Amino acid sequence: MRKTLCRVNPWKAAGPDNIPGRVLRECEEQLADVFSDIFNISLSSAVIPTCLKTTTIIPMPKKSPVSCLNDYHPVALTPIIMKCFERLIMRQIKDLLPPSLDPMQFAYFQHSTQSSLIPLLTHDYAAMHSSNHIIKFVDDTTVLSLISKNNESAYREEVQRLTVWCKANNLSLNVEKMKEMVVEFWRAQSDHSPLDINGSNVEIIKSTKFLDVHLAEDLTWSLNTSSITKKAQQRLYFL
């Protein structure tokens, strides 16, 4: 418990209990035994204290300007001490997870953002050096397809299967928020008809923001570098 409290990030926002991480970290010696007793009682009785289950939802805009509620991304702030509880439990059950997990499952794993970006970009750059290939992926769920000799049938069938699967599992696709980006390096570039999902066309874009990284259709890093520089300048301005 003491090691977990020492690893608390003091700069993280406090949850609905308004207990900052700095207090938990600097008072770890006094609080370790207290929280150990609370957590052990919670586990033995299979009851989580109500105060640890409360959450503050903060709406963060996905784009500007905001026109509807779907343009917001809900960010949940939970008590920091509850996150410590979850980390302790995770260490106990992590080794018990089956080895048959999907290798493309990146969410809820350590370094999930980097682990998701690496295979995506590796696939893109490998295909970029092959002839007669075009790369396409569509968001929100990322679909990456390698199109050879301008034959898009397999790619469109894959998207259609995804649409059918979502409908069968009562998942609604918001086509207005879905985007498609084409990575193509042929000298004679051709026009690509947009995807049709539930009677609506998916917008074809030249760049996208994937896991907070800006990806451009030419696979250069200029757009991402400019975004990072702009963010740094904004923060330096306040200093």
Side-chain angles (χ1 to χ4, degrees):
M1 186 70 237
R2 184 171 297 177
K3 291 181 179 179
T4 302
L5 293 176
C6 288
R7 295 191 181 100
V8 170
N9 188 342
W11 303 107
K12 289 288 186 179
D17 56 3
N18 290 322
I19 300 178
R22 183 175 180 179
V23 172
L24 297 175
R25 183 169 180 171
E26 295 186 358
C27 300
E28 49 86 13
E29 185 175 353
Q30 294 80 10
L31 296 176
D33 292 338
V34 175
F35 283 121
S36 295
D37 292 339
I38 294 175
F39 292 166
N40 286 323
I41 294 174
S42 176
L43 292 173
S44 61
S45 61
V47 176
I48 303 295
T50 304
C51 61
L52 296 183
K53 295 193 292 185
T54 56
T55 302
T56 301
I57 304 297
I58 300 179
M60 299 293 292
K62 294 182 178 179
K63 64 178 184 178
S64 181
V66 174
S67 58
C68 62
L69 292 178
N70 283 332
D71 292 338
Y72 287 99
H73 174 69
V75 176
L77 288 182
T78 56
I80 297 178
I81 192 61
M82 184 60 191
K83 296 179 182 178
C84 294
F85 193 8
E86 292 172 349
R87 291 191 187 100
L88 290 171
I89 300 300
M90 181 194 69
R91 293 170 190 165
Q92 299 296 322
I93 66 175
K94 190 174 182 181
D95 295 335
L96 302 178
L97 293 176
S100 58
L101 291 176
D102 192 330
M104 299 305 291
Q105 166 69 32
F106 301 112
Y108 310 111
F109 282 86
Q110 190 175 15
H111 307 303
S112 59
T113 302
Q114 298 94 320
S115 300
S116 181
L117 277 169
I118 289 173
L120 174 69
L121 294 177
T122 301
H123 190 291
D124 288 357
Y125 284 114
M128 187 177 70
H129 292 89
S130 303
S131 59
N132 298 327
H133 284 158
I134 303 176
I135 305 167
K136 288 190 176 183
F137 61 95
V138 58
D139 202 27
D140 285 328
T141 296
T142 304
V143 178
L144 181 65
S145 179
L146 185 62
I147 298 173
S148 179
K149 298 181 180 179
N150 209 24
N151 185 2
E152 300 186 5
S153 58
Y155 165 61
R156 295 183 181 275
E157 289 174 2
E158 182 66 26
V159 175
Q160 182 61 29
R161 282 194 293 268
L162 173 63
T163 304
V164 173
W165 185 90
C166 290
K167 185 176 181 180
N169 289 273
N170 298 318
L171 296 175
S172 178
L173 292 175
N174 190 341
V175 183
E176 293 183 357
K177 293 168 57 179
M178 297 178 69
K179 310 296 179 183
E180 181 184 24
M181 191 173 75
V182 181
V183 179
E184 182 179 9
F185 290 92
W186 292 356
R187 292 183 178 179
Q189 296 185 358
S190 56
D191 294 331
H192 302 279
S193 57
L195 288 171
D196 181 274
I197 297 180
N198 298 331
S200 301
N201 291 334
V202 177
E203 180 186 0
I204 299 179
I205 57 177
K206 295 183 178 298
S207 63
T208 185
K209 191 175 183 181
F210 181 72
L211 298 177
D212 209 33
V213 175
H214 292 270
L215 301 178
E217 62 178 356
D218 57 0
L219 296 184
T220 61
W221 294 101
S222 301
L223 183 62
N224 189 68
T225 303
S226 299
S227 175
I228 296 176
T229 303
K230 182 179 179 180
K231 185 182 296 185
Q233 290 175 340
Q234 291 174 343
R235 294 180 178 179
L236 286 173
Y237 173 79
F238 290 102
L239 295 179

